[in-house]
Amino acid sequence: QDPQSGGTLNFVAPYGSSFGTLDIHSTPATQDEFPAKAIHRSLYDWNSAEGKPELELATNVEVSDDGKVFTYTLRDAKFHDGKELTAGDIIYSYQRIAHPDNAFPGARYVSGVVGIDEFVDGSADSISGLKAIDDKTLEISYKEPVAEPGYELMRVNAAIYPEGAAEAADFQTSPVGLGPFKFVENIPGSRITVEKFEDFYEDGKPYLDKINIVLLDDASARDVAFRNQEIDVSVLGPSQYVAYQADDALKDNILEVAEVYTRHVGFNPDYEPFQKKEVRQAINHAINTDLIIERLVKNKAYRATGWLPISSPAYNKDAVPYAYDVEKAKQLLADAGYEDGIEFEITATQNESWGLTIVEAIIPMLADAGIRVTAKPVEASVLAEVVPAGDHQAFMWSNVSGPDPYATMKCFYSETTRAACNYWAFDNAEFDAVFDEATAEADPAKKTALLSQANDIVQEEAPSWFFNYNKAVMAYQPWLHGLQQNATELAIQNYEDLWIDDTAPDSRK
Amino acid sequence: MTPLLELKGLHVGIPARRGNVDIVTDVGFSILEGEAFGLVGESGSGKSLTALSLIRLLKKPLKVTAGQILFKGEDLRALSDREMRKLRGARIAMIFQEPMTALNPLKTVGRQIAEMFVLHQGKSWAEAERLAIGALADVQVPAPEERVRAYPFQMSGGMRQRVMIAIALACDPDLLIADEPTTALDVTVQDEVLKLIAQLCSARGTAVLLISHDLGVIANMCQRVGVMYSGRLVEERDTYDIFADPQHPYTKGLLGALPRLGSRHGEGGRQRLVDIDSLITDKASLLQEFYHEPRHKIRDPRVRAGGAA
Amino acid sequence: MKDMATAPLLDIRDLHVHFPVGGQFLSRNKRTLHAVAGVNLSLAEGECLSIVGESGCGKSTTALAVMGLQEPTSGDILFEGGSIIGADAPDRMARARIAQMVFQDPYASLNPRQTVWRSLAAPLRLHGTTAKSEIEDRIADILQKVDLRPEHAARYPHEFSGGQRQRIGIARALILNPRILMLDEPVSALDVSVRAQIINLLLDLQEELSLSFVMISHDLGVVEHMSDRVAVMYFGQIVELGPWSAIFANPTHPYTRKLIATIPDPDTVLHPDRKVTAHAAPEPPEGYRFHPETVGRPDVYAAPEPSELVEIEPGHFIRAQRR
Amino acid sequence: MRGFNFNLWVGGILTLVVICGAVFAPLLTSLDPVFDANLMNAELPPGREFWFGTDAQGRDIFTRVLYGAQISLTVGVVSQVINSVIGLTLGISAAYWGGWWDDLVNGLTNVMLAIPSLIFALAIMAILGPGLPSLLIALGLTNWSWTCRIARSSTLSLKGQGYVQAAQTLGYGDIRIMATQLLPNMVGPILVISTLGIGAAVLAEAALSFLGLGIRPPFPSWGSMLTNARELIVIAPWATIFPGLAIFITVLGFNLLGDGLRDYLDPHMRTREQ
Amino acid sequence: MLRFTIRRLLQMIPTIFAVALLIFVIFSVIPGSFASSLMSDGRTNADPETLARINAEFGLDKPVHVRFGEYIVGLVQFDLGTSFRFREPVTEVIGDRVWASLKLSVAAMVFAIVVGVPLGFIAALRPGSILDTATMVGAVSGLSMPQFWLGLLLMYFFALQLGWLPSFGYGGGDPLYLILPAITLGVTPLALLARTTRAGVLEIMNEDFIRTAHSKGMSNARVVRWHLMRNVMVLVVTTIGLQFGSMMGQAVVIEKLFAWPGIGLLLVDSVAIRDIPVVQGTILVIVVWFLVINTFVDIIYAAIDPRIKQT
Ligand SMILES: Nc1ncnc2c1ncn2[C@@H]1O[C@H](COP(=O)(O)OP(=O)(O)OP(=O)(O)O)[C@@H](O)[C@H]1O
Ligand SMILES: Nc1ncnc2c1ncn2[C@@H]1O[C@H](COP(=O)(O)OP(=O)(O)OP(=O)(O)O)[C@@H](O)[C@H]1O
Ligand SMILES: [Mg+2]
Ligand SMILES: [Mg+2]
């Protein structure tokens, strides 16, 4: 079936009940990406089919031999206000992101560029590593060699604004970008509406005339709304996953993808029992992880072996997860000197996929092995504060583990601080050696192999109970086509590829 | 001469499947036109119930269980509710004890008086409110033109009771029932209000049924007195006779128990008062004994006009 | 009457009690109500002094001030010559043994959650009588004095009639053997028959225990029956004060006369000539006049105009203004 | 004559049933609400073995509802006791002593009334973190204003009563008067409002759970059971129906009991019995 | 009347300041921060430098008393600070949402009044009847249900099973979307109103002045119209005011359930992500709403009840 143009899409933004600012540079919230993805574009974009970043606003990039200088040839593209894209717009956008007055999350994407330090401390007005050779040619120089700048520059927080646009008083209320859709209206707390941008740089796209991005974070309400055909897509939780699979009318329109998140219970080595590897392994053995995934998570997840997820290029397909073996667990505990078992507290949020629901399920299992666990519920914002601070005995979280395996594994490097992302205060000489080697390695394939090896060490050391890699599941109405299997975040779609067919109800035409 | 109101064998009680529980038992008396009849008795003796049963305002579950209530020869118990309503307020009016609560706090007193004219005389509101000024003037409320717009809370107890009187007398009733109209008032105010009632009623020829437990009030106001005790009428006489020569032991006790002004003589020791309870050793026989005391004895009040103040 | 030369048992000197009224946040009509405006009274040992006057004239407030339940605005109250208010006043405990009070409403004056026994025993314990037998004796004794039976002690107030409650109230007031009893309308809430019993009881007790009474009432019949001396109060001030016989036989102040005249008296049926109003109104004393407004309503929010108590015959005072 | 007090009886019986369920939970079920979880039994419908079915964790809902009664009653009763203690202490002392203390308490009461208690509780829960002690504190600190008002107005009216004045003249100390003369005589209205308050606390627990700030799992609280099972409503409706019913019946019981007590204690309201 | 109104309005000020102080203190000791909430979904890794920068940008590194001082200075100029998340003045953020909340509250209250008051009246006129019993049992039941549970049931029934009404959201102002949330929110005040009205009618019926009215010879209907109605209204107006005033606070749960974009939803969200200026502002608005409504009720009260104005 060929794509057809026209129609309205009711897309859903499920991660909160409001959109924050429309200035996407300033917000790292996933929720804010839903409208931003329609309105804005970045230099790179994620290619879901191939699982890697690719050039978006440039037609070509030349990399210097030392891997430090990237020269981009920009494509012909127009902003919503009719302005032509130039290298100046990109430099403007990146300097805005990095500007010391702005506490923008994207600042670190350009923190490796030459001249950034002078810019940040105020001694320079511009970043010297960003150069416009001409209107359509941009040169970015890095301080160190960079394998793939796309992993960071594809982020929508690094979107390209027309030069000076953000200084306009009404930018907040009517943002301008390069994206396939123009901003139309924002009903705070309810929805944002965007409409087709006729001058979008890809021919024939976008297909849709209009998208309503509606806010709906309550799963039950979303369920009703989806069944009621009020929305065209819905992100499903485990129980709905089962219900939808069991429902003949719904089961054919479910999209699944292995996302790059690892769900786990991290152990804090400051808590004495966790200093023993045997204890950590014992916990991995004491939990019937497969059963939880099957019965509680309803198979809406993939069993985790080590840290790196299935969709990671460095994933070890042959790795075997810790087996469920209570006796072995008891044995390991005894070996570590804890014949009478241990007790500890897991700090977790209410989240049903990586929070208290799971903790509740492992409590009786661990009890069988003599491990007494209590749950300490916290709010998400508190979890994100206590974990980097190390104020816990153990924590349950879902952490990004891709798509870039190098950035991911770096978190286990002993020099990475806890406050950055080494939440386990992981410090293993063997690991460090392998990782140093990977850092120095220029050949991508070998680098990947080394990272895979490092991942195996992490698995063996068991700084966490490795639970699962998320399987993101989205239900969509039968008339919707063109959804992509985005492993970085399934709900974030390139709207320009979506289209609806004639079977759509009248309200979508 | 037919009496204005005649009660015969009135029983008030709570109807029950197995026999009624009577609270007021076999009460009978009559009131002549223009006469003031007093009802005394201790608290709970059934004075109020007797009065309320006359105008059918008893609250559930109380009911008149037997007897006749003849008003101008017509039995009120046989009237329909609608007919009774016409009579109520217009022909038989009532004033209650608590002037603080008997008036609607949210309406001007003028309005509350005017209601009577609208209800019973079919007047328009505008006209009725004008008449209300006159009614207020009749009860000697100063500056009635302004006072009609006042709310009850803006008036003293005595003023409010005057307003109640104005309401009661608005339609020139034949009978005014006043149930302890002054117990809540100060002595000096009580005196004024009582004088007002006496004066207005005698001017209009309205008969009064005055309920009180204050013998002094009854003595000053009424030509005849009925004494109630435990739901029964134990003595009913001319006022003078009852004070000069009480017959029933209860009445005697009542008079003896009262510390009366001017009853103390000399500097010497203070006498003890009569203790009724010690007189009444056997309540049942007390009631029995005087049960057949001649009642319904009607005398023309004008015959001994000098007897009362 | 007792010898007045020695210091009186109780001496109220120039008592003022003012209440702020309308004192709401940001409201402008804040005023001061002069509830008691300069009262002087003294009470002799074994005497019954009555205060009469219409509602709101400050009778209860005066009594409350004596009892220490109401802070006086100014003035002094002396017991046997020593001040019982202000800085060097005796504490609550000592004060409790000086004067006790019987309240008007027998229904509100007993704690419905306490048995009679507790109501009577608690003050005894508080004042140091701890022996159980002694407490029992005292309670039995006092109940008998007020004509109640010892077994009544186990009951709760709601199991008693109004008259019986008033007896309990009196028993409680007497349990600490106070010197003075304040009676705030002790019988006005009671039925005629019961009223007589309580009056008799009070008279008996006074003789038996040689108590001193301050009685507040607006029932002139009761006042005449019980008092040695009578004070007539009118809007915060005493307008006439004298032996009962003088007040009732020779009321001089216009307000007193009015008060007596308006009492509905059954005897007027029998003796219409005995009305006070039958006598000619007496003249004010030489050089004085009565306040022209004394029979209307003075402004209670202003301090009263200066006037003084003039002795017109021994022990008989009336309030008048100097001409 | 006193007729059948429908509210009091029905409320009393419902409350009694809930209390019995809580107290005798270990006798009524042999299972453990936390540790007897078997994921193989997850989401079984009600049947002979599991009367109310099982939840997503494979735990017996009947057992959890019974043990949940312990938690709900604890939440309701303890938080209400805290409320009553605060409200009574402040209300009685403010009215008794008056002056600046009264003004202060009044101001505080107004502030507490103006901030919706759910929002206040939400804030306290956010500070203390979810869990039973926090919940008790949050609900105990936020609902005393009505009790305080009632205590204050009762004290104001009782203060003028003869027996309170008598106690003062007999030499009783202030605290003793408050404790022996004032407090026992406002038991009626306080009991009524406390009974209603218990019901309200149970509801508030559910609302806070819904907002993500409830009790610490895995202990069964009805609110968290309801919230967690909400998404199962299509595939396992029993997991929501029974805890929901339990809340409903408990709160209904306390509300009826409160109404019944009010009717019983306040003769003015005894109109139903005509 | 004007003086009365102004005085009542001025009386609100100390309460507002006390509330401002209280919530400021509470939310300055709350764990978690806006910066930490940004990384709470684990999608980005912690970045201490950015966190520090964010905290500095919002002035969170200053001592509490300084911040409170600044807050109060802003408050008297009707400036509630700047939202962390929206990067807009809080007044604007709230302004965007407050209409939705108002709409919901008014609709719920209208529903509660239109149904509750007549029900209570009818029930009271025949006490003990089946209708009375049913109304009262219904009312207690309405008060005994978790609101979100009721909302969920309604949602499933009317939106999913019957398909009559949309299940969630604002619908850009389409009144159809208002029905379910308004009914859910209105149940509690409805039940309370029915009960108060009934109790009020029964209470007033026992008043002496009603007996006076009967003694004047009025029919029952007249007594109700001339003497009962207005006096009952005095009682009912208080309940209406209290309920209406606290409605914005109550609406939190309902707005969350129905994704109704009011300030209740904004509040819950903002607490979760620690957008403290918005939290403070929202609570303040809810409190001011409560105070204003109650002041307004007092004024109405004074208009109906002549006794009030005088004091
Ligand atoms: N609704 C009722 N049900 C049962 N008994 C009642 C009811 N109303 C009044 N009574 C009783 O009827 C008796 C007579 O009451 P009534 O009001 O007539 O007395 P009263 O003589 O007017 O007394 P008071 O002087 O106190 O007004 C009292 O004992 C009272 O308890
Ligand atoms: N606590 C108070 N606050 C304000 N005003 C008061 C207070 N107590 C008494 N008053 C006022 O003081 C005046 C005197 O009151 P008091 O109770 O002494 O009168 P009373 O002579 O005992 O009257 P009654 O015969 O009615 O008992 C009255 O106008 C009363 O309203
Ligand atoms: Mg009576
Ligand atoms: Mg008094």
Side-chain angles (χ1 to χ4, degrees), chain A residues 17-19 21 26 30 33 99 102-103 107 188-190 216-217 228 230 261 379 381 384-385 397-398 400 419-420 423, chain E residues 32 36 39-46 48 53 57 85-87 96-97 159 167-168 170 256 261 265 269 272 274:
Chain A
S17 43
S18 58
F19 296 117
T21 171
S26 69
T30 312
E33 289 188 22
H99 199 278
N102 299 334
S190 179
L216 198 50
D217 72 332
N228 225 10
E230 291 168 60
Y261 298 98
E379 287 174 275
S381 59
E385 192 171 76
W397 209 351
S398 163
V400 66
Y423 306 130
Chain E
S36 71
M39 44 167 292
S40 63
D41 61 359
R43 196 156 174 255
T44 46
N45 280 321
R53 271 220 265 177
E57 179 182 0
R85 169 167 50 158
F86 299 98
R87 290 169 180 269
D96 285 342
R97 304 292 197 95
S167 63
F168 80 98
Y170 188 55
K256 176 106 177 128
L265 185 58
D269 265 14
R274 305 292 190 256

Side-chain angles (χ1 to χ4, degrees), chain E residues 204-218:
Chain E
I204 303 289
M205 288 236 262
N206 273 324
E207 292 277 348
D208 282 357
F209 67 82
I210 295 293
R211 186 178 61 181
T212 306
H214 280 294
S215 81
K216 287 175 173 177
M218 270 180 221

